[in-house]
Amino acid sequence: MSFSSTPARLTLLALLSATSIYCFYRSRRLKLLKLSVNANLIPQSNGHPDVSLKRGKLFFVTQTGTSKTLAHQLHGLLTSSGIPFALVDVKSYEPEDLAKESLVLIIASTWEDGKPPADAKFFANWLAESADDFRVGSLLLSECRFAVFGVGSGAYGDSYNAVARDFSRRFRGLGGNEILPIGEGDVDGGELDSAFEEWSRKIVKALKGSGLENGVSAEQSFNDGIGDEFYSDEDEEEEEDDLESVVVDLEDIAGKAPSKKSGGAVTQTNGKLSNGPKEMVTPVIRANLEKQGYKILGSHSGVKICRWTKSQLRGRGGCYKHSFYGIESHRCMEATPSLACANKCVFCWRHHTNPVGKSWQWKMDDALEIVNSALDQHRKMIKQMKGVPGVTQERLAEGLSPRHCALSLVGEPIMYPEINTLVDELHKRRISTFLVTNAQFPDKIKMLKPITQLYVSVDAATKESLKAVDRPLFGDFWERFTDSLTALRDKHQRTVYRLTLVKGWNTEELDAYFELFSLGQPDFVEIKGVTYCGSSATSKLTMENVPWHADVKAFSEAIALKSEGEYEVACEHAHSCCVLLAKTDRFKVNGQWFTWIDYEKFHDLVASGKSFDSTDYMAATPSWAVYGADEGGFDPDQARYRKERNHRPKP
């Protein structure tokens, strides 16, 4: 068609006009949108910008509740600063929608082996797969500005905050613009709160346009992201403001300490001393342990009255150690010189409210002061039993003069550098010592002075199951475990393997357990069913994992049978779901068991300075404590008390 003709000219004119109108419309609309955003960023009468764009997303990745707590804290700060954000749990978020986001903040916890919590695995996998998929490209999140804060434990070494670091790397790999460097908080280092507060202040400053580290202001960052369409999330569900009130893990209590600006009574910041090593027990940890009934001694020790101590004070029976070894439960003090541990066992009955660590890195208290303080606090708790039904004046007086110390309250007592001095102080007072170690410090076991009875926790029989059950901090945990068992062979005093059976976790490893007997050749093997301590975000255990006493007896009989007479089932305490195996060639004399301890003889031997072994202070076991007796390990001189269970169904 010739452009000289009238129809052609009219067609061309119409086309040019339409194009001009469309371009003018697009230009005008974009300009209006930018002006609208700029106007929204102008400070209002209250001094805060009124950002009316799509709300940013504040994600939290949590296992125990730490990240959720911190996210709520940051959300409140952002809201008070006039910066609207939607609080989102990643487990309920569709990661495909990330491409629509313009501003994302993430608070992420790292769980076992540097992996994300179970609820965040889909989100993490999607992010990793997208970043590694060449078909997705590196511009998927080019319109998204983001920042990440990680919550983890520095005790885990290379896996420390691995999830947060990975999220940051993946977001950048997909084209995201990181507005602040990744922030990191160590739940076991005592600096989580201060690190998060500092990072939060930087976030607010950046979003209010006070200047980002890369020189890009918040206003420019918002304007650069404007497009033709705006995503609306007006139907977003309101976030939950009330956190559940439960027994918390150490990681759960993050963010609950008084802030530096709160004017609280805390004179130290998260246990950090102005000079020298930090304290093991931070103000937050102290508050939570005291809430559970612990008496904190100094900066790293603790004491707590046992329910069996109360029970025998009232004449209602003693614990399994009374049945197996003749300990007077009402005269037993439960304590520890180190609240820290190198494991985070799935069945931890303290719900991990204690610190963790692989070596001693804290301020150290004097052993004599620890012993004196422990005895003082223990006596105060015993005095509180005065007037309780069943507590006689005679038993109360005996309870005020403890004769035994169970160094097994919580944590890893053998970590305390002056453990030998502490044991000496107890023995000087003719207080016997039962020490439990989690088999991760073989060198400490070797240098330990004679104690009344040394326990090693054998929570699993294979490397894989031990890692799953104990969740150790050490990378060479299995080698440390086997070396610890081997170290028992050179101990001349009484040694014990303590097995905690957890159905579905370690009860099928009978052959492997027996193979471990040859390493340490223990005098005794205590086999006990796991105690269910209620629900906890740190543990997957339920009542289904708790074996019956019949299950524990069957396991004990089977493993004794495999020993071909080397070990036999000697005692039981049905109430504690516990059974004792003993070496027959040492502790069964003319058909009579000698599992009890002559405590006075032990103290005389220690005081003599001469070498002695476990047979030098053994005593005969009473018939009621022997395996298969009608009493089931219950002392007939005590009055059996059975609680009435009248549980009502929940409404």
Side-chain angles (χ1 to χ4, degrees), residues 21 71 107 111 139 197 216 309 432 469 497 540 562 603 627:
I21 293 172
I107 317 297
W111 197 229
L139 298 177
E197 286 177 9
V216 180
T309 300
S432 65
V469 172
Y497 277 10
K540 304 173 185 176
K562 286 193 68 67
H603 292 302
Y627 187 72

Side-chain angles (χ1 to χ4, degrees), residues 60-73 89 107 109 111 117 151 187 192 243-244 246-256 536-538:
F60 60 87
V61 174
T62 189
Q63 174 68 33
T64 65
T66 310
S67 294
K68 182 178 180 180
T69 300
L70 295 178
H72 273 267
Q73 180 179 316
D89 188 339
I107 317 297
S109 295
W111 197 229
V151 180
V187 296
L192 174 60
L243 299 178
E244 294 180 354
V246 295
V247 176
V248 291
D249 176 356
L250 172 63
E251 297 175 359
D252 289 333
I253 58 185
K256 296 181 182 178
S536 167
T538 59

Side-chain angles (χ1 to χ4, degrees), residues 559-575:
I559 205 166
L561 188 63
K562 286 193 68 67
S563 75
E564 297 180 345
E566 183 180 3
Y567 291 89
E568 289 183 11
V569 185
C571 304
E572 67 177 317
H573 191 253
H575 187 106

